[in-house]
Structure formats: C-alpha cells, structure tokens
Amino acid sequence: SKGFANRLIIKKKNKLDNLSNSEIIAHAFQFHASGDTKTASKYYQYYLDKGNLDPRVLTNYAVILKNNKQINQAIKLFKKS
C-alpha cells in the first residue's frame, strides 16, 4: 500500500510537470476560489519552487498562509510581491 501511495505522488508530480506556468496558475486560482486551499497551496508552492515570482501567486499564497497562522511565511511572500 505504501508503494501505491508513492506512485500516486509521482504521478501527480509528473502531471504538474506537464503544465505550463499559466496553466499552473489557472488551476491554483480555481482551487483557491472553490475553497480548496490545500490543493491551491500545492500548486502555488510548485509554481514558486520553479523560480517564478508572480505577484498574484505570492499574494494569494500569502493569504492562505496567514489564514493558517503561518504568519512569518506569509509576511515573506507579501514582501516579495
């Protein structure tokens, strides 16, 4: 069962790798708007991990972090935006 979970994670990672930056942002915004902040956070983090610094992503992700009481991380992203 552990191997199965690892395959799912790898599969999901590959799925994100196949998306363009604009598609990653669009999906993140869609998840965020629907209230799925956990999935939106994954997309925002993936986008930022690629070295991108879109102010909309930084601000939206910072809001999620702030709402999750991760204040220091949120402040860093707000400053970057």
Side-chain angles (χ1 to χ4, degrees), residues 58-74:
L58 292 165
T59 303
N60 285 358
Y61 191 25
V63 169
I64 291 173
L65 292 171
K66 178 187 74 71
N67 291 340
N68 289 332
K69 310 289 188 248
Q70 295 174 283
I71 305 302
N72 290 335
Q73 286 177 283

Side-chain angles (χ1 to χ4, degrees), residues 40-66:
S41 293
K42 290 177 186 177
Y43 278 79
Y44 290 143
Q45 188 62 61
Y46 180 81
Y47 178 82
L48 296 173
D49 287 345
K50 290 176 65 178
N52 300 306
L53 294 175
D54 186 299
R56 301 168 302 166
V57 171
L58 292 165
T59 303
N60 285 358
Y61 191 25
V63 169
I64 291 173
L65 292 171
K66 178 187 74 71

